[in-house]
Amino acid sequence: MVLKCVTCGKELREDEEGITWRRCSICKSPVCLNDIRYMGTWVRGLYKNYVTVIPVCENCLPKSMLKRLAEKIHKE
């Protein structure tokens, strides 16, 4: 099965997940490694809090999400 990168439209093979592409942790869309971004998140551990990074697409970055929300509110 052939998938397409949500950002650039590049064709991705399903059997190459984790090698040439990954899924966005928020929207679960396929993203090629050239377009993937990483977002730091705080995780509560047993003894202390620490930062881990999760892969996200460009549409799910906080700045992009806020911009879309502002545009949606402005249209209403």
Side-chain angles (χ1 to χ4, degrees):
M1 181 176 177
V2 177
L3 303 169
K4 290 193 176 191
C5 174
V6 71
T7 305
C8 68
K10 178 181 174 182
E11 290 188 0
L12 309 167
R13 291 182 34 191
E14 189 171 354
D15 60 339
E16 293 180 348
E17 183 173 1
I19 300 169
T20 60
W21 64 277
R22 295 184 72 177
R23 291 200 181 269
C24 174
S25 294
I26 297 173
C27 68
K28 306 300 183 211
S29 299
V31 184
C32 68
L33 293 181
N34 292 336
D35 295 323
I36 196 119
R37 303 289 182 255
Y38 293 91
M39 181 171 59
T41 58
W42 283 99
V43 176
R44 182 169 292 191
L46 183 60
Y47 297 107
K48 65 179 182 175
N49 298 338
Y50 58 95
V51 175
T52 187
V53 293
I54 58 172
V56 294
C57 64
E58 198 167 303
N59 298 329
C60 292
L61 287 171
K63 189 174 183 179
S64 299
M65 292 174 77
L66 286 174
K67 183 178 179 182
R68 278 187 306 202
L69 180 63
E71 288 173 354
K72 182 179 174 184
I73 291 172
H74 182 64
K75 287 181 182 179
E76 295 175 356

